[in-house]
Amino acid sequence: MAMQRRSRQRDAILKVFEVKGAHPTAEEVLSEVRKEIPNVSLGTVYRNLDQLCEAGMIWKIQMEEGPCRYEGNPDGHLHAVCPICGEIRDVWPSGDPIARDSLPEEFAEAEYRLLLISPCERCRPNA
Ligand SMILES: [Zn+2]
Ligand SMILES: [Zn+2]
């Protein structure tokens, strides 16, 4: 029974990530999951998010400020953050966005996380 409840929570959490372009915080995941499972706690949501990250099913996005976000899209893309409203958007580079040739050889295979800081459409003065 406990096992069944755990997987139901997990399924409800994974469903939140089916929304295209969603990068929810743990609190946002909680409020979505509560629509389905009203008594779920924030601690449970964090525990499940950690497990899903470890399993490589979702990814954590460390923000410059504020709580971290979670990503459900495995395809390689970057994130742009609006410095005014904090909105996060997906950015799809047409090639490798860093010139690996310019890095010392030891970093040739390094993973990297880039955050582009740029006003979103709504916050851009002349949009
Ligand atoms: Zn904005
Ligand atoms: Zn993304």
Side-chain angles (χ1 to χ4, degrees), residues 6-124:
R6 263 207 300 278
S7 71
R8 210 183 131 213
Q9 289 163 345
R10 213 175 97 127
D11 289 348
I13 288 171
L14 280 173
K15 224 170 80 184
V16 179
F17 290 95
E18 286 171 10
V19 178
K20 205 165 163 267
H23 304 95
T25 62
E27 300 265 355
E28 286 165 354
V29 171
L30 176 68
S31 67
E32 280 306 308
V33 171
R34 275 198 172 150
K35 290 177 188 168
E36 210 172 302
I37 311 170
N39 61 354
V40 72
S41 71
L42 184 58
T44 300
V45 166
Y46 269 119
R47 216 166 32 248
N48 276 277
L49 287 171
D50 280 345
Q51 285 167 1
L52 290 168
C53 283
E54 273 169 38
M57 296 173 78
I58 61 169
W59 294 264
K60 210 182 246 190
I61 311 169
Q62 221 55 259
M63 306 299 287
E64 287 206 322
E65 44 188 297
C68 68
R69 312 285 199 107
Y70 294 87
E71 165 74 74
N73 187 341
D75 296 330
H77 62 277
L78 309 176
H79 291 112
V81 180
C82 175
I84 298 157
C85 72
E87 188 186 273
I88 180 166
R89 296 102 76 198
D90 287 336
V91 178
W92 301 88
S94 57
D96 191 338
I98 61 167
R100 285 174 180 267
D101 295 356
S102 68
L103 294 174
E105 206 179 326
E106 63 183 295
F107 299 111
E109 301 292 326
E111 284 182 39
Y112 55 87
R113 311 268 184 273
L114 286 180
L115 274 189
L116 303 171
I117 311 298
S118 172
C120 72
E121 249 165 61
R122 278 195 309 272
C123 298
R124 221 174 283 151

